[in-house]
Amino acid sequence: MADRCSVRAPAWTRRQVLLAGAAGAAVLGLSACGGSTDTTSTAAKPGAPFAQPTVLTSTNGRLEVTLKAEVGTVPYGDGTRFAYTYNGTSPGPTLRVRPGDTLIITLENHLDEPTNLHTHGLHVSPEGDSDNVFVQVDPGQSHTYTYVLPGDHRSSLCWYHPHHHGMVAPQLGGGLFGGIIIEDAIDQLPDLAGSTERLLVLADPKVGDSSSVLDVSGMQKMQGREGDAALVNGLDAPAIRAAAGSLERWRVLNASPSRYYRLALDGHRLQVIGTDGGRLAAPDPVDELLLAPGERTEVLVTPTKPGVFPLRTRGYDRGSPGMGGGMMGGGGGSTSSIDGQVLATMVVTGSASAAALPSSLVPEADLDAGVAGSERPIELAMGMGGGTGGMGGGMGGGGGMMSFSINGESFDANRTNIEVRAGDSEDWVITNTSSMDHPFHLHAWPFRVIERTSGPPDVPGWKDTVNVPANSTVTVRVPLTDITGRTVYHCHILDHEDQGMMGVIQVQ
Ligand code: C2O
Ligand code: CU
Ligand code: CU
């Protein structure tokens, strides 16, 4: 299904080799590009038992929580690693709310640098004390956010993370993120009631002490930092125990600052039932699924026979800043993920026929993005010098400054780049003129992908983050309805965002 794959050998670090050894070295590199691994892998050994972050659930229409951002250590293997945490953990607690609820989060900043909070995917006001990314919470300070969810908010997996411009990649890459699950308005869709729901938060922290975790080169920032582990809920290749004949339902979040995951489960298809912003009309079966930073998916799996089935990420080449080769030290490619790397295993016991899949999930009408009144060009660019400076400008490997821009401008919190009348619907024609992929994200208003010139076909659902492959164009339809206010759109490779690939939109 994927029309691209990495042909370069992954750049193995000693650390990765060590980690790979722990996960069972034999399983690595097994999956040839585009090849099938449709077998029970006897080489895969289940790791630690699968576990999920603590869940905090709303009652009587309200959930009130305190999130303490602080540094510390978290368990890792037999030891610990340095991390930025919410309430001592990474991922932070999972917040479960319903449409119509009020979510109140007091963010306490125990770091020695400014931070703030963004609720990625919530269709709520971006102003005042709601999802306002222009708020700054200084060290020792706190801020209380109040989010009022509309009664018709779609059920989906959203998430929270810091959004203080210039520090988003280190803080999120350090471990500051957590899930927000918007439950179905009705208790659960009847066909899903018997399923086993799990949350899988994918992150790739650097592993070590504070200095090795925070030491990131200018080159890595241009490329978008990648860590040296690929963890699920902070665990190294955890084992998910499932009974044959059951219906497994996994909500998956890519909370990595830059890493892409090309997910495939040995011996099973993934039945996609949800995207970033809501459910599909019916399950969409896929052999693999590309999840760019910020993206989410909800899938069903129907185990039938006993065995240990690895959930892998296949290699993916997201390109490189490409300075004509020379300057980038030979232009070594960016290989996001190690081809075939095991993220988790599904350990199935028993034999049974496959559980029935739901035939319909939400009415087709819910997926209708309507018609657009106008088109808006959005150009994502990376280049040497140029741009308008602003707060952008990354360090080039060879002594130049690389600019990251949208429509020729780097982010400036005081400038409004796009003004739209509330209620308008627009087609955004997003062109990536660079030699790297950029996952494009818009706050507050979900969109549908209408067309793309490159990349795997899109699952037909509501999105808020979409991968725009190198040198290609993706068109999305954005109904700028229900909500007014001033917020941002940006590349979700967070080093790119921190270096200026972000703009401001005002809808009024
Ligand atoms: Cu997940 Cu503006 O971000
Ligand atoms: Cu967001
Ligand atoms: Cu980018």
Side-chain angles (χ1 to χ4, degrees):
M1 201 165 159
D3 54 4
R4 272 209 303 172
C5 61
S6 169
V7 290
R8 292 190 188 88
W12 288 78
T13 64
R14 189 176 137 69
R15 181 83 215 170
Q16 281 168 325
V17 173
L18 291 174
L19 292 169
V27 301
L28 290 158
L30 249 186
S31 158
C33 182
S36 162
T37 48
D38 186 10
T39 51
T40 300
S41 174
T42 48
K45 291 196 189 63
F50 176 81
Q52 304 179 79
T54 307
V55 180
L56 304 171
T57 307
S58 68
T59 48
N60 301 319
R62 194 180 158 92
L63 176 61
E64 199 168 340
V65 302
T66 297
L67 293 177
K68 285 184 194 169
E70 57 198 351
V71 293
T73 54
V74 294
Y76 182 70
D78 295 331
T80 59
R81 60 183 174 88
F82 169 84
Y84 281 65
T85 68
Y86 285 123
N87 300 352
T89 65
S90 176
T94 303
L95 313 180
R96 277 195 91 100
V97 292
R98 287 169 189 269
D101 280 0
T102 299
L103 169 63
I104 301 167
I105 301 178
T106 297
L107 174 69
E108 290 183 3
N109 184 1
H110 297 262
L111 307 173
D112 56 13
E113 62 200 37
T115 188
N116 64 8
L117 200 72
H118 165 51
T119 50
H120 181 142
L122 290 197
H123 185 51
V124 296
S125 166
E127 304 255 278
D129 291 331
S130 186
D131 186 25
N132 185 345
V133 295
F134 301 104
V135 164
Q136 172 171 334
V137 185
D138 286 320
Q141 303 297 302
S142 68
H143 184 81
T144 298
Y145 294 88
T146 301
Y147 312 95
V148 180
L149 274 65
D152 61 355
H153 200 295
R154 294 189 183 91
S155 172
S156 59
L157 170 61
C158 301
W159 59 303
Y160 57 88
H161 64 76
H163 218 288
H164 182 69
H165 181 63
M167 307 181 102
V168 181
Q171 292 185 0
L172 199 143
L176 291 176
F177 48 79
I180 302 176
I181 291 173
I182 318 281
E183 294 185 22
D184 296 287
I186 45 166
D187 267 348
Q188 255 190 356
L189 295 173
D191 287 345
L192 297 175
S195 61
T196 304
E197 184 195 324
R198 304 180 197 268
L199 173 66
L200 284 72
V201 181
L202 310 182
D204 68 330
K206 287 184 87 180
V207 175
D209 60 14
S210 60
S211 57
S212 56
V213 169
L214 298 174
D215 178 27
V216 174
S217 70
M219 171 62 192
Q220 287 169 320
K221 289 179 189 169
M222 254 195 299
Q223 189 90 328
R225 71 189 64 199
E226 294 190 6
D228 38 23
L231 307 180
V232 175
N233 299 340
L235 303 169
D236 197 3
I240 297 170
R241 304 210 165 257
S246 68
L247 191 58
E248 286 281 319
R249 176 157 61 100
W250 302 348
R251 298 179 186 264
V252 189
L253 155 66
N254 182 356
S256 311
S258 315
R259 186 179 295 258
Y260 284 50
Y261 299 85
R262 193 151 69 96
L263 300 172
L265 177 64
D266 281 15
H268 297 77
R269 303 191 94 184
L270 301 170
Q271 301 282 343
V272 183
I273 61 166
T275 46
D276 306 340
R279 292 255 168 65
L280 308 186
D284 187 21
V286 298
D287 290 322
E288 62 169 56
L289 197 61
L290 180 64
L291 216 55
E295 288 188 303
R296 289 90 69 205
T297 187
E298 185 176 15
V299 298
L300 296 176
V301 176
T302 55
T304 57
K305 50 183 196 288
V308 177
F309 303 94
L311 173 68
R312 301 175 190 276
T313 178
R314 295 173 173 170
Y316 183 77
D317 183 358
R318 59 186 180 87
S320 69
M323 306 304 302
M327 189 197 127
M328 302 303 295
S334 159
T335 54
S336 250
S337 77
I338 298 161
D339 193 17
Q341 183 169 10
V342 175
L343 297 172
T345 56
M346 180 173 74
V347 182
V348 181
T349 49
S351 286
S353 51
L357 292 172
S359 52
S360 69
L361 296 156
V362 295
E364 284 281 357
D366 186 61
L367 279 305
D368 186 1
V371 291
S374 57
E375 273 191 1
R376 182 181 296 278
I378 303 274
E379 186 189 303
L380 310 176
M382 292 169 69
M384 294 305 295
T388 54
M391 302 174 76
M395 290 302 297
M401 295 288 277
M402 179 163 268
S403 69
F404 290 80
S405 65
I406 301 182
N407 288 343
E409 296 183 315
S410 286
F411 177 70
D412 178 346
N414 296 314
R415 175 169 52 213
T416 298
N417 304 83
I418 294 177
E419 289 185 51
V420 185
R421 217 179 35 209
D424 279 3
S425 185
E426 298 189 340
D427 278 352
W428 287 15
V429 182
I430 310 163
T431 299
N432 177 357
T433 61
S434 74
S435 53
M436 289 190 76
D437 290 21
H438 300 288
F440 181 85
H441 170 50
L442 170 65
H443 287 209
W445 298 275
F447 51 74
R448 289 290 320 272
V449 178
I450 300 299
E451 203 179 336
R452 64 163 64 243
T453 62
S454 174
D458 294 277
V459 169
W462 286 100
K463 297 285 296 168
D464 55 51
T465 307
V466 65
N467 189 44
V468 186
N471 299 305
S472 77
T473 299
V474 173
T475 303
V476 301
R477 183 157 299 165
V478 201
L480 294 145
T481 50
D482 308 327
I483 292 168
T484 57
R486 188 169 179 271
T487 189
V488 294
Y489 50 91
H490 58 88
C491 175
H492 221 286
I493 288 177
L494 298 166
D495 285 294
H496 294 175
E497 183 260 286
D498 279 340
Q499 291 170 93
M501 196 177 272
M502 177 154 73
V504 176
I505 177 173
Q506 172 131 37
V507 176
Q508 62 189 351

